[in-house]
Amino acid sequence: GLEAAASAGPEALAAELDAARSRSLGYTDLAEDDLLRQHSPLMSPLVWDLAHIGNYEEIWLLRALTGTPELRPGLDGIYDAFRHSRASRTTLPLLGPAEARGYLADVRARVLDVLAGLDADQLLPGSGQDRRERLLAGALVYGMVIQHEHQHDETMLATLQLRSGPPVLDDPGTGRAGSAGGAGGVVVDDTAEVLVPAGAFTMGTSTDPWAYDNERPAHRVHLPAFHIGRFPVTNRAQLAFIADGGYDDERLWSAEGWAWRCQEGLTAPLFWSRDGDVWTRRRFGRVEPVPLDEPVQHVCWYEAEAHARWAGRRLPTEAEWEKACAHDPVTGRSRHYPWGDTDPTSEHANLGHGQARPVPVGSRPAGASPCGAEQMIGDVWEWTASGFTPYSGFAAFPYREYSEVFYPRSNDPARFRVLRGGSWATHPSAVRSTFRNWDFPIRRQIFAGFRLARDADAS
Ligand code: AVJ
Ligand code: FE
């Protein structure tokens, strides 16, 4: 895992960099047209993501660490995510696929030289005060770049899911997920809840060297008792919501949600269609019946909110989600992952594209948190009720554009909603109990579902 890589020094970091690169190159091993085309106005052309990954690595692991000049002047402007909307990126003078791969390889060769010249001591957590020392402490800047590449890999998977036409990706893990019920064929109650008693817990972290600025600092949060779903909401439950007219019942939706539902004509999760009495979903170019026991994905925040209201529940706040995921009432500590502090394995969590879909609820009992919530890490990102706001004591580091520019503005108090827990497409090194993701409440192309909650004293 990442912390282990940081403490193991340069060779382990090189291996993590290499693993991320294999993934990026695997997802872009496609025909030129598939790389250059805009598969959806919501997404960049894949060749933009690819060179952006290299440009980010150049900026942080070469220029910020060693002060080297730009390798190819002009690229920063093209690959600055804030300068150009995703929809406009095909009009830029992008590097072509071969050029982009060459640029990535050039950057990486230099990065490995720099890394090999570092002293393992410089990568120890907590040493040093100047900017370069702070970037190196705990290998923070390497963690940032490795996680960044994996985040774009997940984004590229979302692009490939939006792509129309016959499949271009292998379908990993087929047959291993099982489709009927939980572990070993045991059918679980997918609407089961667990209780989280009232009390304080530690939210966020001040010590994890690879945590982003928005996860800091650690702080105590007191919460009243609440119930939370043992599992994420399943396709079975989403079908019941559909069958009960949930998409047509204005009373279940917020005003903005209803306006959006009407404008877009939403009737089911993205990629679903009805074929007579059977609901199917398109998954990376393959059409298959909707599997009842899998967590629902490709729903926006507004759909999640309407479903929760229909179920007589609500979305958990971000603090509730993190307490249910991480708080250990025996030690009083918060865990790095629900099951403890050890790195995720496939027994604990469905992460890292081991399979190209969520696994059925009940399939990862070894990953349960102390309160008994399962599949909090992996499978689907989970929408929370909370807007993306800074924790008290937040300090942007090492750059404002990772988190700070996404916080609320006075004229726009809740632009982004927080998602937690990672998806099947998230690499294990890019998620943990404290990790915060965010997106607009209308977004459905991300691998996102939700979990339900309610106050403990309400029934
Ligand atoms: C944290 C996933 C919202 O993809 O927009 C990638 C991560 N930041 N490049 C995003 C990110 C810069 C970010 N999310
Ligand atoms: Fe980026």
Side-chain angles (χ1 to χ4, degrees), residues 168-456:
V168 288
L169 281 182
D170 294 341
D171 194 7
T174 308
R176 278 199 283 129
S179 55
V186 178
V187 175
V188 295
D189 172 8
D190 64 349
T191 63
E193 297 176 313
V194 296
L195 173 70
V196 181
F201 84 107
T202 301
M203 184 171 187
T205 175
S206 297
T207 52
D208 179 350
W210 289 36
Y212 282 98
D213 56 2
N214 66 56
E215 297 166 65
R216 302 164 188 272
H219 54 288
R220 297 290 285 174
V221 175
H222 184 281
L223 293 175
F226 64 97
H227 294 278
I228 191 165
R230 181 176 162 199
F231 306 113
V233 168
T234 58
N235 290 329
R236 176 184 292 104
Q238 189 67 12
L239 283 163
F241 172 70
I242 293 171
D244 204 33
Y247 277 92
D248 299 315
D249 187 348
E250 183 173 351
R251 294 167 304 173
L252 299 175
W253 298 68
S254 61
E256 315 87 82
W258 183 250
W260 178 248
R261 175 257 168 261
C262 292
Q263 183 188 320
E264 297 296 304
L266 304 183
T267 57
L270 186 62
F271 306 116
W272 283 29
S273 45
R274 193 203 287 267
D275 183 3
D277 283 346
V278 181
W279 280 96
T280 59
R281 65 159 179 197
R282 189 165 52 79
R283 189 173 60 83
F284 296 99
R286 299 169 176 93
V287 176
E288 57 195 24
V290 167
L292 300 182
D293 295 301
E294 276 183 29
V296 65
Q297 57 175 353
H298 300 302
V299 286
C300 70
W301 188 86
Y302 293 127
E303 284 166 286
E305 188 196 32
H307 181 123
R309 199 167 287 129
W310 169 78
R313 301 287 185 267
R314 57 176 175 77
L315 297 178
T317 65
E318 187 182 9
E320 287 172 337
W321 191 97
E322 188 168 326
K323 188 179 182 187
C325 178
H327 177 61
D328 179 347
V330 174
T331 63
R333 282 186 59 253
S334 289
R335 298 176 169 186
H336 203 65
Y337 303 105
W339 56 86
D341 295 327
T342 59
D343 287 345
T345 67
S346 59
E347 298 275 289
H348 295 117
N350 175 27
L351 289 165
H353 198 179
Q355 31 218 335
R357 57 175 171 183
V359 290
V361 297
S363 321
R364 293 295 182 276
S369 73
C371 73
E374 300 181 30
Q375 289 164 272
M376 295 207 79
I377 296 290
D379 291 304
V380 288
W381 288 103
E382 298 181 20
W383 288 111
T384 71
S386 305
F388 184 52
T389 56
Y391 295 158
S392 172
F394 168 83
F397 188 80
Y399 69 116
R400 290 188 58 245
E401 288 73 19
Y402 186 80
S403 310
E404 193 178 290
V405 300
F406 298 98
Y407 290 148
R409 300 169 179 165
S410 50
N411 62 345
D412 197 358
R415 282 188 303 160
F416 295 98
R417 300 302 198 287
V418 172
L419 301 117
R420 291 300 201 106
S423 77
W424 58 264
T426 307
H427 191 270
S429 62
V431 71
R432 51 202 157 260
S433 299
T434 56
F435 187 89
R436 307 172 76 199
N437 193 3
W438 62 93
D439 215 326
F440 294 111
I442 61 172
R443 287 292 182 248
R444 310 212 295 163
Q445 84 280 10
I446 54 177
F447 305 110
F450 57 103
R451 192 179 293 255
L452 303 175
R454 66 181 166 106
D455 299 351

